[in-house]
Amino acid sequence: MSNPRAHKRIERFLANIPQLSVIGDFHSHTMWGYSKAANALSDIDLEGMEPDNVYILVGVNDRLREVSWKYNDDGSLSGTTDEHHFRLTAYVVTDAGEPRKVPIHCPYAIGFDVRPLRAVR
Ligand SMILES: [Zn+2]
């Protein structure tokens, strides 16, 4: 879940720093009891998303077993740390407000020799 009021506050703050501009943001979804974190955007997440920006959603769950970091066929990136499983999914939004996943390419996470899989929309 994101917080539109906090988002607006940050945008106002950044507007006062001329050499910076907003290119998007990120937020996390976490577990709720035994319910796994959602990797999809909520309706509230979609509010305030603007075309040309990129929005990263981080799904955080307890780690059940160790898995290595990898690109997934929907363009997301996932893997485990000592205690958690993370899935990072990047979204853009069309002019009509429809969310689209875009592939994450992060060689620092999984190595420069690994190619992202082709992204599925
Ligand atoms: Zn959210």
Side-chain angles (χ1 to χ4, degrees):
M1 192 175 85
S2 61
N3 182 331
R5 276 197 315 144
H7 186 93
K8 282 264 173 292
R9 205 158 54 226
I10 289 164
E11 282 187 342
R12 273 200 305 274
F13 171 76
L14 291 173
N16 292 319
I17 305 174
Q19 63 270 38
L20 297 181
S21 63
V22 175
I23 60 168
D25 62 30
F26 72 95
H27 74 283
S28 59
H29 288 176
T30 54
M31 294 184 76
W32 184 259
Y34 292 106
S35 299
K36 286 184 72 178
N39 289 302
L41 296 171
S42 70
D43 289 343
I44 293 171
D45 291 339
L46 281 166
E47 285 175 25
M49 282 178 62
E50 294 173 12
D52 302 327
N53 285 0
V54 177
Y55 300 89
I56 308 247
L57 174 56
V58 185
V60 185
N61 286 291
D62 291 344
R63 191 188 88 166
L64 301 178
R65 61 192 166 83
E66 185 175 3
V67 296
S68 55
W69 284 81
K70 65 181 177 78
Y71 295 121
N72 302 298
D73 58 10
D74 67 349
S76 64
L77 173 70
S78 63
T80 52
T81 58
D82 284 349
E83 294 183 15
H84 297 100
H85 180 276
F86 293 90
R87 186 180 186 113
L88 287 74
T89 310
Y91 291 90
V92 293
V93 67
T94 66
D95 289 332
E98 292 290 323
R100 295 280 185 268
K101 291 178 182 174
V102 292
I104 293 175
H105 186 208
C106 186
Y108 291 98
I110 62 178
F112 284 82
D113 52 337
V114 182
R115 293 265 156 249
L117 304 169
R118 206 164 59 97
V120 176
R121 288 183 165 231

